[in-house]
Amino acid sequence: MRGKRRLATMMALFLAFALIAAGCGSDDSGTGSDSSSAATNGDGGSDESTPTTDAASDTVGGGGTLTLGAEQEPDCMDWINTCAGSSWGSWMVNYQVMPRAFDFAKEGDAWVYEPSVLLAGEPEVTSNPQVVTYKLNPDAVWDDKTPITCKDFIYTWEQVAKGEDVYDPSGYVDIASVEATDDTTCKVTFSKPYAGWKSLFGGLYGVQPAHLLEGKDRNAEMKDGYKFSGGPFKLESWEKGTAITLVPNENYWGPKAKPDKVIFKLIPDTAAAFQAFKAGEVLAIYPQPQIDAIEQINAGLDDVTSVISADTGNLEALWMNNGKAPFDSVAVRQAFGYALDRDAIVKRLFGGIGVEAAVNSLNPPILSALADNAAWSGYKLDLAKVDELMTGDGWAKGADGIWAKGGQRASIEFKTTAGNKRRELTQQIVQEQAKAAGFELTINNQKAGDLFGQQLPAGDFQLALYAQVLTNLEPANCGLFCSKNIPTDANGNTGQNWTRTNIPALDPLLEEVDATVDDAARAKANKEADKIQAENMVSLPLDPLPNIGLVSKKIKGDVEENPITSVFGNLYQWSLN
Amino acid sequence: MTSLDLTSEEAGDELVDQTEAGSVTRSQWRLFLRRFLRHRLAVLGVLIFVALLVMSFGARWVAPFPKNAQNLTDLTIDGPGRDHLFGQDELGRDYFTEVLYAGQISLKIGIAVAVLSTALGVAMGAIAGYFGKLADGILMRVTDAFLLVPSIAILAVAFKKFGNSDIAVALVLTFTVWMTVARLVRGQVLTIRELEFIDAARIAGASSTRIIVRHLVPNMVGPIAVNATLAMVNAIVAESTLSFLGFGIQPPDTSWGNLLAQTRGYLGTSKAYLLYFPCLFIILAVLAISFIGDGLRDAFDPESKK
Amino acid sequence: MLKYIIRRLLYSMPALFISTFVLFWAVRSTFDPAAKFIGSRDPTTYARFKEKWGLDDPIPVQYWRWLKNIVQGDWGESTASGESVWSMISRAFGTTLQLIFWGVLFSAIIAVLIGVYSAIRQYSVGDYVFSGLSYLGIAVPPFVFGLLAIQILGVLLGDKLGLDGPAFFFVGLHSDESGVFSWDYVRHLVLPVLTLTVQIVASWTRFQRASMLDVMSSDYVRTARAKGVPRRRVVFRHAFRNSLTPLVTVMAVDSALLFGGLIITESLFSIPGMGRLFFNAIQTGDAYVVMGWLLVSGMFVIAFNLIADVLYAVLDPRVRLA
């Protein structure tokens, strides 16, 4: 008897549990984590790689369902708001659904802007004052067939230039007015010259649909995902923590999207993501260039198109705090530059994918046309030079082999983003090399959020290893090195010159770069600036942080790496057939 | 594992055997030792554990290379072989050497957690069990609250505040496991308290402290020792899990767990050995300690073998 | 009985209260949810965010505000995404529940089968093999086991069988968004459930073995044997049933802890459940999500502990609740 009762109790319990479990069918939630290479520079502007040609792209869909892997998801999809600012959000959604004025294309060796299908041609530019007249493509429409007009430009400008909590208003705040001369002509007048005007009305924000958002709370409409589109795809769903699904925008006036559906699955663990790719559970991944990723590629991936590019918008460097001892001394900074064999470090880290030389400019590789690409090439391992510079600056080596001056040892705190294995290994190599030259580095790593959100802006570091990432083709070095951008109360501590670089000769050059529309003059100023920065050794550039795109051969269509829009830049061309 | 009201009853059943035997005497220790030595796996466990301790803490003499000896010029990396028993890591360091040194922190954390959680748990449990009523009520509510607050929360907060040193990891892990011991001890104390020889001691005029230290504690050595081995096993495995979550020991410091978490991306490549060797050491350590725990249980409580 | 349950529930209220307050205090004083806005280009963003969420008020005031709201059924909103905490938790909860359900089910079956086998065949080869395996289950860190399972049963097996994809999936619980029970769902469940099962089955097996051994050596089993009842009948009619009681209570207690403890499994298999929700929330200082999570998981721990004790009393007439 007792046995039966017990059995019945257990059965009941089991059944109740089963019912609860079955009742909760759906899954998702959770939020993405911080990127390890934060600190985005500059303005808006950028987008997808060259459309045009491709005859088959008149018909929508037919390319099957593509399941792709994503490392992170954005915090929100209101791209103008501070809550956005996630590269993955831009790659997966923003660049796929928002219309923009300019695309990125490779011309010869250089990455250049190219008018997108939104424009009827290259805009007219006049100077004094700078006026840009956009001719819009009359075919350009939102997915509800409402034409994309100058009203949308006006709305976008107003939102960015005058809104609250804007991620980055640069450029837009220099616009005096945006006027519609007729439905397809848009006249943008600047209050002062703005060299990076091609990055506006595109890139980070895209052009926003005035007819849908005007008079509404834009943030509320967009932050959890939105259905409108002016690009080849539109967002079908965003299951937070799980997946982002895109479907073709049937009313897109440009080359139509081939996939019937694209599912970006969020795979937070990178080791699991690699296995998922190898097993074919996801057809493409865009991993960080970690050593294990490189090892996986070298271990042989069958039937995979791997696009590896060192021509990136990234610059990983050893950033020095010029405002804090011992790096407040030019001689010490220079000596440190001679203490390291940077080529050997880069070869150790990225030799497996053919990247073997250190970067020698503080401009990322995609800006090579504007940069002095050999500015730092003089800084090679040279211990005699280290001795000369250090003794010249009044330092002497102590019994422990470490430089000291006035009782102060050359002991330097070295920070990077905790949990980034490649950076942690880099630190250990740098530490060993520096020790041989008489510098003691103590490693003290921080969570990315703390490092970028608090410590670097507050100047709470001596030496830090991280990357600057460009989201357009505009040099951003005034933001990073002009003395007016040192975080102070005057600029609301929003300045991005975390290295506290303060070189009077540098400021006018970098300001000129930002305000010169003429390309040749701009390049000249920027190259000159590179040289001065190298002479003063404001920081030590290291590597271009190669981009790695891995795409299964099952996917047909052009697979290429775009430094701004990622390997997913021409997602619309991809197809299983 | 079960909640408070029942532990006492359960524990009572187990304990009768021991307490009947009276207080601990020298001959009993000899008996205990003989029983422990008869447990072959436990002896093997002791040997392995001692070997691990010696190799890790004596790494300066045992390891074939100095710690962190990077190869800055030769960029090729050897797999396991004659030159490098466990191969080389990404920076050309001898991995056998690195794994041995990493053991120092893992074992230190394991031992520290076992000792600290036992001390804290025994103190709390004994006080709660012996003084009863108010002390008991408060302490048990506190342990209940600790059981509700997930360890991850304690970890996240502690690491943000105190950093990720080995001491911090050990302390945090201690705070997440001491409740088990506390409850165990409390249950046992509640049972033993009622037994005759305690009454006898009390009548003889012994103080509370004296009763706890001289009579209660020795009678609970068995279960507590077994529990300590469990805590140690859990700590060593948990340390690796922490590293996976990004809360563990931070490079350039190394532990088995952090080597393991850092190299997990090599699975399926020719460098997978970087993952396997620290894993092997964790498994060895855990098995050894578990065997010792088994041996202790059998030796303290021969009846349980039946 | 009812009185007992009510008293137990009342007793656990202080624990719940203390733990929510302590955790709230700890999270608020450690993590700044507004931190990510410190460097924003709009210098007023940070202040506005703090103002909006009342982050400058003393922590007890903030806690009181939360407590008042929660009593009225308002779980608050996430400071990170602005989403309602209730909807975040209910979504994550459903996901985790699926894992726990299958994990506990399989663990229970395996633990009982192996535990009983090992007890009646004590010191046999099988007993040694199983106890060796259970030690291994404890010794291999869960994330390593999960990755090995992915590598072997996902990647390599799929390759061997010449499948287009993996044999068993390991990203999420469904290939597309549909949430129905299907073959696809099963193929997604196998690996995470296996990983979870290995984490819990080892200790349960050892527990069941000990409990079965206990019962087998008890007086009434000996008596029954002495009376000439066949061994098989004694084992399965009497010993087996009685040996289940302790395991059931342990299972109840352990299962409750699983509600928040699946972070590893959920991260490896890209499943957005309670563990990951909590893990992400605590690191961004998303205190209201953390609080909501603690309430739910705390209530489960309390409830399952109570269930364990009640079950113990129901299943074992020797135990009386007081």
Side-chain angles (χ1 to χ4, degrees):
Chain A
M1 282 312 269
R2 230 177 54 217
K4 276 213 182 110
R5 198 181 84 190
R6 182 162 44 224
L7 215 67
T9 319
M10 285 172 68
M11 286 295 287
L13 203 77
F14 174 82
L15 218 69
F17 207 55
L19 281 173
I20 301 172
C24 306
S26 72
D27 38 294
D28 51 305
S29 148
T31 50
S33 57
D34 259 72
S35 154
S36 55
S37 51
T40 311
N41 296 317
D43 336 327
S46 72
D47 51 307
E48 197 152 291
S49 62
T50 46
T52 60
T53 54
D54 211 315
S57 48
D58 298 81
T59 48
V60 178
T65 298
L66 308 179
T67 307
L68 314 173
E71 227 167 69
Q72 291 168 31
E73 66 178 357
D75 280 344
C76 82
M77 290 193 187
D78 176 13
W79 313 114
I80 293 176
N81 195 280
T82 31
C83 64
S86 137
S87 310
W88 275 97
S90 300
W91 296 333
M92 293 189 290
V93 184
N94 185 348
Y95 296 148
Q96 312 292 351
V97 307
M98 300 303 272
R100 58 202 144 256
F102 283 91
D103 283 334
F104 291 100
K106 194 156 192 178
E107 216 171 66
D109 279 343
W111 285 94
V112 294
Y113 291 108
E114 188 173 81
S116 76
V117 286
L118 177 62
L119 301 184
E122 189 82 41
E124 260 175 57
V125 189
T126 60
S127 44
N128 282 333
Q130 185 182 346
V131 176
V132 180
T133 311
Y134 295 90
K135 276 299 248 181
L136 300 186
N137 184 340
D139 296 336
V141 287
W142 295 101
D143 66 315
D144 59 5
K145 295 198 175 164
T146 312
I148 302 177
T149 66
C150 192
K151 274 191 196 137
D152 300 318
F153 276 60
I154 296 171
Y155 176 78
T156 305
W157 164 59
E158 284 175 343
Q159 290 292 306
V160 179
K162 298 165 190 169
E164 276 185 348
D165 301 341
V166 171
Y167 179 70
D168 181 4
S170 317
Y172 292 93
V173 289
D174 298 333
I175 295 175
S177 71
V178 182
E179 295 156 292
T181 4
D182 61 58
D183 268 0
T184 56
T185 311
C186 204
K187 204 173 115 191
V188 177
T189 311
F190 287 81
S191 55
K192 61 178 188 185
Y194 184 66
W197 62 273
K198 284 182 179 174
S199 66
L200 304 178
F201 302 107
L204 280 182
Y205 307 143
V207 176
Q208 322 281 315
H211 72 292
L212 295 173
L213 298 174
E214 192 103 64
K216 292 187 185 160
D217 179 353
R218 187 200 72 242
N219 186 250
E221 295 287 318
M222 292 179 71
K223 73 178 166 65
D224 295 319
Y226 50 89
K227 302 281 174 177
F228 62 78
S229 163
F233 290 97
K234 59 182 181 183
L235 181 71
E236 188 185 68
S237 68
W238 179 16
E239 275 189 277
K240 285 190 183 163
T242 306
I244 286 174
T245 307
L246 305 176
V247 290
N249 168 11
E250 295 183 0
N251 294 324
Y252 185 53
W253 70 96
K256 305 259 202 269
K258 281 185 188 165
D260 294 313
K261 196 187 240 189
V262 176
I263 304 173
F264 281 101
K265 288 205 159 188
L266 178 65
I267 311 177
D269 187 76
T270 48
F274 248 102
Q275 304 301 331
F277 177 66
K278 280 163 85 177
E281 193 165 353
V282 293
L283 295 177
I285 50 174
Y286 195 53
Q288 288 190 27
Q290 288 293 344
I291 312 237
D292 47 12
I294 293 167
E295 195 62 32
Q296 293 279 2
I297 294 169
N298 289 336
L301 295 166
D302 303 337
D303 301 326
V304 168
T305 315
S306 47
V307 278
I308 295 164
S309 166
D311 197 9
T312 66
N314 316 330
L315 173 73
E316 196 164 47
L318 293 161
W319 306 91
M320 300 169 175
N321 188 341
N322 290 221
K324 204 170 182 180
F327 286 141
D328 56 349
S329 150
V330 185
V332 175
R333 293 201 299 266
Q334 288 170 335
F336 193 75
Y338 290 111
L340 304 183
D341 184 351
R342 290 178 298 135
D343 284 343
I345 298 174
V346 173
K347 209 167 173 178
R348 172 70 96 187
L349 297 172
F350 302 115
I353 49 172
V355 179
E356 306 200 323
V359 175
N360 283 315
S361 157
L362 276 177
N363 290 286
I366 45 168
L367 296 181
S368 57
L370 294 172
D372 179 352
N373 297 302
W376 267 261
S377 54
Y379 290 102
K380 300 261 184 228
L381 178 62
D382 186 345
L383 293 181
K385 227 21 191 269
V386 175
D387 290 351
E388 187 190 317
L389 283 162
M390 290 302 279
T391 40
D393 196 43
W395 296 76
K397 263 190 186 168
D400 54 357
I402 304 297
W403 295 103
K405 178 185 179 182
Q408 203 63 38
R409 291 168 77 243
S411 177
I412 297 153
E413 194 179 42
F414 190 8
K415 291 182 174 176
T416 192
T417 48
N420 185 321
K421 174 155 194 202
R422 189 197 61 251
R423 290 199 179 132
E424 286 162 352
L425 288 177
T426 311
Q427 280 183 314
Q428 293 175 39
I429 309 175
V430 171
Q431 190 183 35
E432 281 295 292
Q433 293 189 355
K435 198 162 100 191
F439 295 96
E440 181 184 72
L441 302 189
T442 49
I443 293 172
N444 178 12
N445 293 338
Q446 308 291 326
K447 294 254 178 227
D450 296 339
L451 189 67
F452 296 124
Q454 290 164 12
Q455 302 181 354
L456 295 177
D460 179 16
F461 74 104
Q462 289 173 299
L463 183 66
L465 172 67
Y466 59 90
Q468 292 287 354
V469 178
L470 273 195
T471 52
N472 55 39
L473 294 178
E474 303 303 328
N477 278 353
C478 186
L480 299 176
F481 299 106
C482 278
S483 59
K484 66 175 179 193
N485 287 323
I486 295 174
T488 55
D489 289 337
N491 55 34
N493 289 307
T494 62
Q496 304 267 307
N497 183 354
W498 296 339
T499 56
R500 272 77 188 161
T501 300
N502 190 351
I503 300 166
L506 189 60
D507 288 352
L509 282 171
L510 290 175
E511 275 164 29
E512 192 188 335
V513 171
D514 277 6
T516 307
V517 184
D518 176 56
D519 281 345
R522 203 177 176 205
K524 188 166 168 280
N526 203 43
K527 286 180 180 178
E528 191 59 32
D530 238 346
K531 206 162 273 149
I532 293 178
Q533 293 183 90
E535 278 161 16
N536 287 281
M537 183 54 134
V538 295
S539 278
L540 188 56
L542 195 59
D543 63 77
L545 209 59
N547 286 332
I548 301 175
L550 299 175
V551 181
S552 160
K553 282 244 164 74
K554 279 181 204 151
I555 290 182
K556 310 287 185 294
D558 275 357
V559 173
E560 46 177 59
E561 154 62 25
N562 184 307
I564 309 294
T565 57
S566 84
V567 74
F568 305 118
N570 33 0
L571 183 59
Y572 71 95
Q573 291 185 20
W574 291 7
S575 141
L576 286 178
N577 310 313
Chain B
M1 269 305 203
T2 20
S3 80
L4 16 162
D5 299 70
L6 286 159
T7 356
S8 48
E9 298 188 40
E10 277 180 326
D13 292 343
E14 281 173 33
L15 254 144
V16 178
D17 303 321
Q18 265 180 316
T19 44
E20 272 171 357
S23 60
V24 184
T25 65
R26 189 165 296 178
S27 68
Q28 263 193 312
W29 278 111
R30 208 171 295 147
L31 207 67
F32 161 80
L33 200 65
R34 198 182 309 145
R35 281 199 296 258
F36 184 82
L37 290 178
R38 214 184 294 144
H39 198 296
R40 260 177 291 168
L41 277 180
V43 175
L44 182 68
V46 170
L47 290 179
I48 295 176
F49 187 61
V50 169
L52 286 175
L53 283 178
V54 168
M55 278 163 57
S56 293
F57 291 98
R60 272 178 67 187
W61 301 281
V62 178
F65 289 84
K67 187 179 192 306
N68 193 18
Q70 299 177 18
N71 195 333
L72 296 174
T73 46
D74 182 7
L75 299 187
T76 54
I77 288 164
D78 295 338
R82 204 178 306 152
D83 296 342
H84 300 281
L85 192 57
F86 289 1
Q88 285 177 305
D89 74 359
E90 302 94 335
L91 302 185
R93 295 174 288 202
D94 178 62
Y95 205 46
F96 182 56
T97 307
E98 296 300 314
V99 170
L100 289 190
Y101 275 101
Q104 294 185 354
I105 288 186
S106 292
L107 292 172
K108 242 192 276 179
I109 289 176
I111 294 169
V113 171
V115 171
L116 293 176
S117 69
T118 305
L120 186 61
V122 167
M124 292 296 198
I127 293 170
Y130 187 78
F131 291 106
K133 287 276 151 33
L134 190 62
D136 186 29
I138 294 172
L139 276 173
M140 283 302 115
R141 291 296 90 81
V142 172
T143 50
D144 282 356
F146 262 100
L147 276 178
L148 292 184
V149 176
S151 9
I152 296 296
I154 302 178
L155 297 168
V157 170
F159 287 149
K160 174 93 179 188
K161 289 205 152 147
F162 311 114
N164 305 41
S165 68
D166 46 355
I167 298 172
V169 173
L171 284 179
V172 165
L173 285 176
T174 300
F175 271 105
T176 61
V177 296
W178 67 275
M179 297 84 71
T180 331
V181 194
R183 293 181 147 204
L184 178 94
V185 171
R186 173 184 170 272
Q188 306 243 349
V189 171
L190 282 180
T191 332
I192 299 176
R193 198 160 69 131
E194 306 305 324
L195 296 173
E196 287 166 5
F197 72 96
I198 299 283
D199 285 338
R202 197 176 287 137
I203 290 162
S207 73
S208 299
T209 335
R210 194 182 154 82
I211 291 177
I212 291 178
V213 172
R214 290 299 297 271
H215 300 282
L216 291 186
V217 175
N219 275 294
M220 296 181 305
V221 164
I224 291 171
V226 173
N227 215 293
T229 61
L230 278 179
M232 194 162 163
V233 163
N234 287 337
I236 289 176
V237 177
E239 189 267 319
S240 72
T241 306
L242 284 188
S243 289
F244 172 82
L245 294 174
F247 284 144
I249 298 294
Q250 290 294 310
D253 290 341
T254 52
S255 68
W256 290 332
N258 115 338
L259 290 181
L260 204 54
Q262 293 249 315
T263 54
R264 67 181 191 273
Y266 290 125
L267 202 63
T269 74
S270 59
K271 284 213 192 97
Y273 63 85
L274 292 176
L275 174 71
Y276 296 143
F277 286 119
C279 190
L280 183 75
F281 273 67
I282 290 185
I283 293 175
L284 272 181
V286 167
L287 287 185
I289 300 162
S290 302
F291 290 154
I292 296 174
D294 270 10
L296 286 177
R297 177 178 327 169
D298 290 352
F300 276 118
D301 188 9
E303 288 299 306
S304 73
K305 253 194 139 181
K306 275 151 210 164
Chain C
M1 176 78 107
L2 192 65
K3 231 165 100 190
Y4 169 82
I5 292 175
I6 291 169
R7 201 180 45 134
R8 277 287 302 273
L9 286 177
L10 283 180
Y11 267 148
S12 41
M13 285 303 122
L16 203 56
F17 181 79
I18 296 172
S19 59
T20 50
F21 182 72
V22 168
L23 192 57
F24 190 84
W25 187 290
V27 171
R28 267 285 179 269
S29 62
T30 316
F31 302 96
D32 179 5
K36 61 175 175 171
F37 299 120
I38 290 177
S40 9
R41 291 297 174 88
D42 182 349
T44 57
T45 302
Y46 181 71
R48 207 168 22 243
F49 186 86
K50 288 205 123 175
E51 168 79 34
K52 180 185 170 198
W53 294 98
L55 296 177
D56 285 326
D57 296 336
I59 294 173
V61 174
Q62 296 185 42
Y63 178 77
W64 179 242
R65 208 161 41 217
W66 172 79
L67 199 64
K68 258 193 336 210
N69 287 337
I70 202 79
V71 170
Q72 293 163 6
D74 175 7
W75 291 62
E77 284 162 3
S78 154
T79 47
S81 67
E83 213 188 335
S84 117
V85 170
W86 175 249
S87 77
M88 290 170 85
I89 287 185
S90 47
R91 201 167 51 205
F93 184 79
T95 309
T96 297
L97 201 60
Q98 296 175 54
L99 280 186
I100 294 180
F101 175 72
W102 296 111
V104 167
L105 179 65
F106 286 116
S107 303
I109 294 171
I110 295 170
V112 168
L113 289 179
I114 297 180
V116 170
Y117 172 87
S118 297
I120 50 184
R121 295 276 156 78
Q122 203 186 1
Y123 302 132
S124 69
V125 178
D127 181 23
Y128 279 121
V129 168
F130 284 129
S131 82
L133 282 178
S134 75
Y135 278 128
L136 267 184
I138 294 170
V140 179
F143 72 89
V144 177
F145 181 86
L147 279 172
L148 286 173
I150 285 176
Q151 162 83 354
I152 294 164
L153 296 176
V155 184
L156 295 181
L157 187 63
D159 244 20
K160 267 258 150 35
L161 298 176
L163 295 179
D164 212 18
F168 298 105
F169 293 120
F170 46 89
V171 179
L173 286 179
H174 299 282
S175 284
D176 46 33
E177 300 135 75
S178 57
V180 285
F181 190 94
S182 61
W183 176 233
D184 177 71
Y185 176 63
V186 174
R187 267 173 81 186
H188 276 87
L189 268 179
V190 170
L191 292 181
V193 168
L194 176 69
T195 307
L196 175 57
T197 303
V198 167
Q199 283 174 57
I200 47 184
V201 81
S203 69
W204 288 5
T205 306
R206 298 184 62 73
F207 199 85
Q208 175 61 22
R209 176 178 179 271
S211 146
M212 186 76 185
L213 281 176
D214 239 22
V215 177
M216 298 259 286
S217 64
S218 65
D219 290 342
Y220 72 93
V221 170
R222 281 196 202 132
T223 316
R225 285 284 284 137
K227 275 187 175 167
V229 183
R231 180 179 150 90
R232 177 178 286 271
R233 199 179 146 88
V234 173
V235 167
F236 290 102
R237 281 300 288 269
H238 304 281
F240 173 61
R241 283 180 186 173
N242 286 312
S243 75
L244 286 181
T245 314
L247 182 68
V248 169
T249 62
V250 165
M251 274 166 47
V253 175
D254 283 4
S255 306
L257 293 175
L258 290 178
F259 278 99
L262 296 182
I263 299 174
I264 305 288
T265 314
E266 289 173 359
S267 308
L268 274 185
F269 297 98
S270 313
I271 298 167
M274 292 287 277
R276 250 174 73 199
L277 176 74
F278 178 75
F279 189 62
N280 290 334
I282 192 135
Q283 292 192 81
T284 49
D286 204 342
Y288 299 115
V289 175
V290 170
M291 289 291 99
W293 183 95
L294 182 65
L295 269 191
V296 172
S297 84
M299 285 192 282
F300 265 86
V301 172
I302 290 167
F304 275 59
N305 269 295
L306 183 58
I307 291 173
D309 291 352
V310 172
L311 267 183
Y312 204 91
V314 171
L315 297 179
D316 188 343
R318 285 172 303 178
V319 176
R320 203 173 299 152
L321 298 172

